[in-house]
PDB file of all heavy atoms in Angstrom:
ATOM      1  N   GLU N   1       4.948   5.804   5.211  1.00 90.00           N
ATOM      2  CA  GLU N   1       4.287   6.462   4.081  1.00 90.00           C
ATOM      3  C   GLU N   1       2.957   5.793   3.770  1.00 90.00           C
ATOM      4  O   GLU N   1       2.852   4.565   3.755  1.00 90.00           O
ATOM      5  CB  GLU N   1       5.206   6.402   2.855  1.00 90.00           C
ATOM      6  CG  GLU N   1       4.739   7.203   1.664  1.00 90.00           C
ATOM      7  CD  GLU N   1       5.757   7.193   0.536  1.00 90.00           C
ATOM      8  OE1 GLU N   1       6.904   6.786   0.782  1.00 90.00           O
ATOM      9  OE2 GLU N   1       5.380   7.579  -0.582  1.00 90.00           O
ATOM     10  N   LEU N   2       1.939   6.599   3.528  1.00 88.00           N
ATOM     11  CA  LEU N   2       0.624   6.076   3.154  1.00 88.00           C
ATOM     12  C   LEU N   2       0.565   5.991   1.642  1.00 88.00           C
ATOM     13  O   LEU N   2       0.158   6.934   0.961  1.00 88.00           O
ATOM     14  CB  LEU N   2      -0.494   6.992   3.691  1.00 88.00           C
ATOM     15  CG  LEU N   2      -0.482   7.307   5.187  1.00 88.00           C
ATOM     16  CD1 LEU N   2      -1.698   8.131   5.566  1.00 88.00           C
ATOM     17  CD2 LEU N   2      -0.409   6.035   6.019  1.00 88.00           C
ATOM     18  N   ASN N   3       0.967   4.838   1.116  1.00 91.00           N
ATOM     19  CA  ASN N   3       1.104   4.749  -0.338  1.00 91.00           C
ATOM     20  C   ASN N   3       0.887   3.321  -0.813  1.00 91.00           C
ATOM     21  O   ASN N   3       1.076   2.355  -0.062  1.00 91.00           O
ATOM     22  CB  ASN N   3       2.492   5.235  -0.764  1.00 91.00           C
ATOM     23  CG  ASN N   3       2.563   5.571  -2.245  1.00 91.00           C
ATOM     24  OD1 ASN N   3       1.543   5.598  -2.928  1.00 91.00           O
ATOM     25  ND2 ASN N   3       3.758   5.825  -2.739  1.00 91.00           N
ATOM     26  N   ALA N   4       0.467   3.198  -2.053  1.00 95.00           N
ATOM     27  CA  ALA N   4       0.335   1.918  -2.742  1.00 95.00           C
ATOM     28  C   ALA N   4       0.202   2.228  -4.219  1.00 95.00           C
ATOM     29  O   ALA N   4      -0.298   3.285  -4.593  1.00 95.00           O
ATOM     30  CB  ALA N   4      -0.891   1.138  -2.255  1.00 95.00           C
ATOM     31  N   PHE N   5       0.674   1.313  -5.070  1.00 94.00           N
ATOM     32  CA  PHE N   5       0.506   1.516  -6.507  1.00 94.00           C
ATOM     33  C   PHE N   5       0.663   0.186  -7.230  1.00 94.00           C
ATOM     34  O   PHE N   5       1.160  -0.799  -6.672  1.00 94.00           O
ATOM     35  CB  PHE N   5       1.512   2.544  -7.054  1.00 94.00           C
ATOM     36  CG  PHE N   5       2.961   2.218  -6.789  1.00 94.00           C
ATOM     37  CD1 PHE N   5       3.657   1.335  -7.600  1.00 94.00           C
ATOM     38  CD2 PHE N   5       3.625   2.808  -5.734  1.00 94.00           C
ATOM     39  CE1 PHE N   5       4.984   1.039  -7.356  1.00 94.00           C
ATOM     40  CE2 PHE N   5       4.956   2.526  -5.471  1.00 94.00           C
ATOM     41  CZ  PHE N   5       5.643   1.629  -6.284  1.00 94.00           C
ATOM     42  N   CYS N   6       0.209   0.169  -8.473  1.00 94.00           N
ATOM     43  CA  CYS N   6       0.404  -0.971  -9.363  1.00 94.00           C
ATOM     44  C   CYS N   6       0.968  -0.435 -10.666  1.00 94.00           C
ATOM     45  O   CYS N   6       0.311   0.344 -11.359  1.00 94.00           O
ATOM     46  CB  CYS N   6      -0.901  -1.724  -9.608  1.00 94.00           C
ATOM     47  SG  CYS N   6      -0.727  -3.130 -10.742  1.00 94.00           S
ATOM     48  N   MET N   7       2.177  -0.821 -10.990  1.00 90.00           N
ATOM     49  CA  MET N   7       2.813  -0.374 -12.224  1.00 90.00           C
ATOM     50  C   MET N   7       2.265  -1.153 -13.421  1.00 90.00           C
ATOM     51  O   MET N   7       1.659  -2.215 -13.261  1.00 90.00           O
ATOM     52  CB  MET N   7       4.324  -0.578 -12.135  1.00 90.00           C
ATOM     53  CG  MET N   7       5.043   0.401 -11.231  1.00 90.00           C
ATOM     54  SD  MET N   7       6.835   0.162 -11.359  1.00 90.00           S
ATOM     55  CE  MET N   7       7.416   1.497 -10.318  1.00 90.00           C
ATOM     56  N   PRO N   8       2.471  -0.642 -14.637  1.00 86.00           N
ATOM     57  CA  PRO N   8       2.074  -1.381 -15.829  1.00 86.00           C
ATOM     58  C   PRO N   8       2.647  -2.795 -15.815  1.00 86.00           C
ATOM     59  O   PRO N   8       3.796  -3.007 -15.413  1.00 86.00           O
ATOM     60  CB  PRO N   8       2.691  -0.547 -16.965  1.00 86.00           C
ATOM     61  CG  PRO N   8       2.729   0.843 -16.422  1.00 86.00           C
ATOM     62  CD  PRO N   8       3.043   0.688 -14.962  1.00 86.00           C
ATOM     63  N   GLY N   9       1.836  -3.763 -16.207  1.00 90.00           N
ATOM     64  CA  GLY N   9       2.278  -5.146 -16.232  1.00 90.00           C
ATOM     65  C   GLY N   9       2.050  -5.903 -14.941  1.00 90.00           C
ATOM     66  O   GLY N   9       2.405  -7.074 -14.831  1.00 90.00           O
ATOM     67  N   GLY N  10       1.455  -5.253 -13.916  1.00 94.00           N
ATOM     68  CA  GLY N  10       1.084  -5.961 -12.707  1.00 94.00           C
ATOM     69  C   GLY N  10       2.099  -5.948 -11.585  1.00 94.00           C
ATOM     70  O   GLY N  10       2.143  -6.876 -10.768  1.00 94.00           O
ATOM     71  N   LYS N  11       2.919  -4.900 -11.492  1.00 96.00           N
ATOM     72  CA  LYS N  11       3.913  -4.785 -10.419  1.00 96.00           C
ATOM     73  C   LYS N  11       3.305  -3.971  -9.278  1.00 96.00           C
ATOM     74  O   LYS N  11       3.183  -2.749  -9.367  1.00 96.00           O
ATOM     75  CB  LYS N  11       5.184  -4.114 -10.927  1.00 96.00           C
ATOM     76  CG  LYS N  11       5.789  -4.782 -12.155  1.00 96.00           C
ATOM     77  CD  LYS N  11       6.192  -6.223 -11.874  1.00 96.00           C
ATOM     78  CE  LYS N  11       6.868  -6.828 -13.085  1.00 96.00           C
ATOM     79  NZ  LYS N  11       7.185  -8.262 -12.881  1.00 96.00           N
ATOM     80  N   ILE N  12       2.921  -4.659  -8.194  1.00 97.00           N
ATOM     81  CA  ILE N  12       2.198  -4.035  -7.085  1.00 97.00           C
ATOM     82  C   ILE N  12       3.139  -3.782  -5.911  1.00 97.00           C
ATOM     83  O   ILE N  12       3.957  -4.641  -5.562  1.00 97.00           O
ATOM     84  CB  ILE N  12       1.035  -4.936  -6.631  1.00 97.00           C
ATOM     85  CG1 ILE N  12       0.037  -5.141  -7.781  1.00 97.00           C
ATOM     86  CG2 ILE N  12       0.340  -4.364  -5.402  1.00 97.00           C
ATOM     87  CD1 ILE N  12      -1.023  -6.186  -7.485  1.00 97.00           C
ATOM     88  N   MET N  13       3.001  -2.610  -5.313  1.00 97.00           N
ATOM     89  CA  MET N  13       3.758  -2.291  -4.108  1.00 97.00           C
ATOM     90  C   MET N  13       2.824  -1.643  -3.088  1.00 97.00           C
ATOM     91  O   MET N  13       2.108  -0.692  -3.411  1.00 97.00           O
ATOM     92  CB  MET N  13       4.917  -1.350  -4.416  1.00 97.00           C
ATOM     93  CG  MET N  13       5.853  -1.122  -3.235  1.00 97.00           C
ATOM     94  SD  MET N  13       6.809  -2.612  -2.794  1.00 97.00           S
ATOM     95  CE  MET N  13       8.033  -2.625  -4.129  1.00 97.00           C
ATOM     96  N   PHE N  14       2.818  -2.178  -1.888  1.00 98.00           N
ATOM     97  CA  PHE N  14       2.097  -1.573  -0.763  1.00 98.00           C
ATOM     98  C   PHE N  14       3.119  -1.086   0.254  1.00 98.00           C
ATOM     99  O   PHE N  14       4.163  -1.708   0.450  1.00 98.00           O
ATOM    100  CB  PHE N  14       1.163  -2.589  -0.096  1.00 98.00           C
ATOM    101  CG  PHE N  14      -0.254  -2.535  -0.590  1.00 98.00           C
ATOM    102  CD1 PHE N  14      -0.585  -3.016  -1.846  1.00 98.00           C
ATOM    103  CD2 PHE N  14      -1.258  -2.001   0.198  1.00 98.00           C
ATOM    104  CE1 PHE N  14      -1.884  -2.964  -2.304  1.00 98.00           C
ATOM    105  CE2 PHE N  14      -2.575  -1.951  -0.255  1.00 98.00           C
ATOM    106  CZ  PHE N  14      -2.890  -2.428  -1.515  1.00 98.00           C
ATOM    107  N   TYR N  15       2.805   0.022   0.900  1.00 97.00           N
ATOM    108  CA  TYR N  15       3.623   0.528   1.997  1.00 97.00           C
ATOM    109  C   TYR N  15       2.893   0.183   3.293  1.00 97.00           C
ATOM    110  O   TYR N  15       1.679   0.389   3.410  1.00 97.00           O
ATOM    111  CB  TYR N  15       3.818   2.035   1.867  1.00 97.00           C
ATOM    112  CG  TYR N  15       4.736   2.421   0.721  1.00 97.00           C
ATOM    113  CD1 TYR N  15       4.389   2.173  -0.601  1.00 97.00           C
ATOM    114  CD2 TYR N  15       5.963   3.038   0.974  1.00 97.00           C
ATOM    115  CE1 TYR N  15       5.231   2.516  -1.650  1.00 97.00           C
ATOM    116  CE2 TYR N  15       6.815   3.397  -0.066  1.00 97.00           C
ATOM    117  CZ  TYR N  15       6.450   3.135  -1.377  1.00 97.00           C
ATOM    118  OH  TYR N  15       7.274   3.473  -2.412  1.00 97.00           O
ATOM    119  N   SER N  16       3.643  -0.319   4.260  1.00 98.00           N
ATOM    120  CA  SER N  16       3.012  -0.816   5.489  1.00 98.00           C
ATOM    121  C   SER N  16       2.238   0.269   6.224  1.00 98.00           C
ATOM    122  O   SER N  16       1.229  -0.018   6.877  1.00 98.00           O
ATOM    123  CB  SER N  16       4.072  -1.411   6.415  1.00 98.00           C
ATOM    124  OG  SER N  16       5.034  -0.423   6.794  1.00 98.00           O
ATOM    125  N   GLY N  17       2.680   1.512   6.106  1.00 96.00           N
ATOM    126  CA  GLY N  17       1.998   2.601   6.797  1.00 96.00           C
ATOM    127  C   GLY N  17       0.552   2.754   6.386  1.00 96.00           C
ATOM    128  O   GLY N  17      -0.310   3.103   7.211  1.00 96.00           O
ATOM    129  N   LEU N  18       0.261   2.499   5.125  1.00 95.00           N
ATOM    130  CA  LEU N  18      -1.109   2.628   4.635  1.00 95.00           C
ATOM    131  C   LEU N  18      -2.024   1.647   5.356  1.00 95.00           C
ATOM    132  O   LEU N  18      -3.144   1.990   5.746  1.00 95.00           O
ATOM    133  CB  LEU N  18      -1.148   2.382   3.123  1.00 95.00           C
ATOM    134  CG  LEU N  18      -2.525   2.466   2.466  1.00 95.00           C
ATOM    135  CD1 LEU N  18      -3.071   3.886   2.538  1.00 95.00           C
ATOM    136  CD2 LEU N  18      -2.461   2.000   1.013  1.00 95.00           C
ATOM    137  N   ILE N  19      -1.534   0.427   5.537  1.00 97.00           N
ATOM    138  CA  ILE N  19      -2.343  -0.614   6.168  1.00 97.00           C
ATOM    139  C   ILE N  19      -2.393  -0.442   7.680  1.00 97.00           C
ATOM    140  O   ILE N  19      -3.462  -0.507   8.297  1.00 97.00           O
ATOM    141  CB  ILE N  19      -1.787  -2.004   5.810  1.00 97.00           C
ATOM    142  CG1 ILE N  19      -1.838  -2.212   4.280  1.00 97.00           C
ATOM    143  CG2 ILE N  19      -2.557  -3.106   6.539  1.00 97.00           C
ATOM    144  CD1 ILE N  19      -1.134  -3.468   3.819  1.00 97.00           C
ATOM    145  N   ASN N  20      -1.240  -0.206   8.264  1.00 97.00           N
ATOM    146  CA  ASN N  20      -1.160  -0.168   9.726  1.00 97.00           C
ATOM    147  C   ASN N  20      -1.742   1.109  10.328  1.00 97.00           C
ATOM    148  O   ASN N  20      -2.486   1.056  11.313  1.00 97.00           O
ATOM    149  CB  ASN N  20       0.294  -0.327  10.164  1.00 97.00           C
ATOM    150  CG  ASN N  20       0.859  -1.690   9.805  1.00 97.00           C
ATOM    151  OD1 ASN N  20       0.113  -2.664   9.698  1.00 97.00           O
ATOM    152  ND2 ASN N  20       2.163  -1.775   9.605  1.00 97.00           N
ATOM    153  N   GLN N  21      -1.409   2.251   9.746  1.00 94.00           N
ATOM    154  CA  GLN N  21      -1.876   3.508  10.328  1.00 94.00           C
ATOM    155  C   GLN N  21      -3.370   3.712  10.137  1.00 94.00           C
ATOM    156  O   GLN N  21      -4.043   4.275  10.999  1.00 94.00           O
ATOM    157  CB  GLN N  21      -1.096   4.678   9.734  1.00 94.00           C
ATOM    158  CG  GLN N  21       0.369   4.689  10.126  1.00 94.00           C
ATOM    159  CD  GLN N  21       1.083   5.925   9.653  1.00 94.00           C
ATOM    160  OE1 GLN N  21       0.558   7.036   9.757  1.00 94.00           O
ATOM    161  NE2 GLN N  21       2.289   5.748   9.123  1.00 94.00           N
ATOM    162  N   LEU N  22      -3.894   3.247   8.986  1.00 95.00           N
ATOM    163  CA  LEU N  22      -5.335   3.378   8.755  1.00 95.00           C
ATOM    164  C   LEU N  22      -6.103   2.146   9.229  1.00 95.00           C
ATOM    165  O   LEU N  22      -7.319   2.096   9.099  1.00 95.00           O
ATOM    166  CB  LEU N  22      -5.606   3.623   7.268  1.00 95.00           C
ATOM    167  CG  LEU N  22      -5.007   4.898   6.673  1.00 95.00           C
ATOM    168  CD1 LEU N  22      -5.490   5.095   5.242  1.00 95.00           C
ATOM    169  CD2 LEU N  22      -5.344   6.118   7.517  1.00 95.00           C
ATOM    170  N   LYS N  23      -5.354   1.169   9.740  1.00 97.00           N
ATOM    171  CA  LYS N  23      -5.971  -0.064  10.271  1.00 97.00           C
ATOM    172  C   LYS N  23      -6.942  -0.675   9.253  1.00 97.00           C
ATOM    173  O   LYS N  23      -8.116  -0.927   9.547  1.00 97.00           O
ATOM    174  CB  LYS N  23      -6.683   0.220  11.601  1.00 97.00           C
ATOM    175  CG  LYS N  23      -5.743   0.673  12.712  1.00 97.00           C
ATOM    176  CD  LYS N  23      -6.501   0.944  14.011  1.00 97.00           C
ATOM    177  CE  LYS N  23      -5.551   1.228  15.170  1.00 97.00           C
ATOM    178  NZ  LYS N  23      -4.646   2.373  14.924  1.00 97.00           N
ATOM    179  N   LEU N  24      -6.426  -0.910   8.058  1.00 98.00           N
ATOM    180  CA  LEU N  24      -7.259  -1.422   6.970  1.00 98.00           C
ATOM    181  C   LEU N  24      -7.617  -2.882   7.185  1.00 98.00           C
ATOM    182  O   LEU N  24      -6.784  -3.704   7.566  1.00 98.00           O
ATOM    183  CB  LEU N  24      -6.534  -1.278   5.631  1.00 98.00           C
ATOM    184  CG  LEU N  24      -6.169   0.135   5.168  1.00 98.00           C
ATOM    185  CD1 LEU N  24      -5.613   0.095   3.758  1.00 98.00           C
ATOM    186  CD2 LEU N  24      -7.365   1.081   5.250  1.00 98.00           C
ATOM    187  N   THR N  25      -8.867  -3.210   6.910  1.00 98.00           N
ATOM    188  CA  THR N  25      -9.311  -4.598   6.876  1.00 98.00           C
ATOM    189  C   THR N  25      -8.896  -5.213   5.541  1.00 98.00           C
ATOM    190  O   THR N  25      -8.471  -4.517   4.615  1.00 98.00           O
ATOM    191  CB  THR N  25     -10.834  -4.681   7.012  1.00 98.00           C
ATOM    192  OG1 THR N  25     -11.430  -4.066   5.845  1.00 98.00           O
ATOM    193  CG2 THR N  25     -11.317  -3.956   8.264  1.00 98.00           C
ATOM    194  N   ASP N  26      -9.037  -6.538   5.434  1.00 98.00           N
ATOM    195  CA  ASP N  26      -8.738  -7.188   4.157  1.00 98.00           C
ATOM    196  C   ASP N  26      -9.614  -6.621   3.043  1.00 98.00           C
ATOM    197  O   ASP N  26      -9.164  -6.444   1.905  1.00 98.00           O
ATOM    198  CB  ASP N  26      -8.952  -8.691   4.265  1.00 98.00           C
ATOM    199  CG  ASP N  26      -7.825  -9.394   5.014  1.00 98.00           C
ATOM    200  OD1 ASP N  26      -6.885  -8.700   5.470  1.00 98.00           O
ATOM    201  OD2 ASP N  26      -7.884 -10.630   5.150  1.00 98.00           O
TER     202      ASP N  26
END
């Protein structure tokens, strides 16, 4: 899944597909 979010209070979640499939740099 190409997804990422930050919930209220600073709860961050990244999905590996977003980084790997789009080959994101830092």
Side-chain angles (χ1 to χ4, degrees):
E1 188 175 347
L2 306 184
N3 197 9
F5 56 82
C6 179
M7 286 186 176
K11 306 299 184 184
I12 299 171
M13 188 68 75
F14 265 73
Y15 289 65
S16 61
L18 179 66
I19 299 172
N20 295 333
Q21 293 186 43
L22 298 187
K23 297 180 173 58
L24 298 187
T25 65
D26 284 1

